[in-house]
Amino acid sequence: MFRRPDARGLADTIKDTIHRATLAAQERVVEIFASIVPAEQMRAHVEGDVEALMRQLAGQMAEGDGHR
């Protein structure tokens, strides 16, 4: 694929590969913690979505249930 110099193409391929690896790693973390942290809550945490995480936690507090 990269027999001819194509810096932009190479950079895009590297960026896409890193992005896919990051998503796979995040999903693996969600799987590992599934028995103790709800998937959507863990997903919000690993994605850095603080607003979603706070909404989920507030919902759990309103229900009076700090667990699943």
Side-chain angles (χ1 to χ4, degrees):
M1 177 175 185
F2 293 104
R3 294 187 188 273
R4 293 184 308 189
D6 179 6
R8 176 80 271 154
L10 178 59
D12 289 344
T13 298
I14 292 169
K15 186 175 95 174
D16 291 342
T17 300
I18 291 170
H19 179 71
R20 285 192 310 273
T22 299
L23 292 176
Q26 288 175 337
E27 198 54 39
R28 184 65 182 124
V29 168
V30 171
E31 291 171 10
I32 290 168
F33 283 91
S35 66
I36 58 174
V37 179
E40 290 306 311
Q41 185 175 331
M42 194 64 197
R43 199 167 281 115
H45 180 73
V46 298
E47 291 173 0
D49 189 348
V50 176
E51 290 179 17
L53 183 57
M54 291 298 116
R55 279 193 307 273
Q56 292 168 10
L57 292 173
Q60 286 177 350
M61 290 176 64
E63 295 170 5
D65 181 17
H67 306 289
R68 286 183 161 221

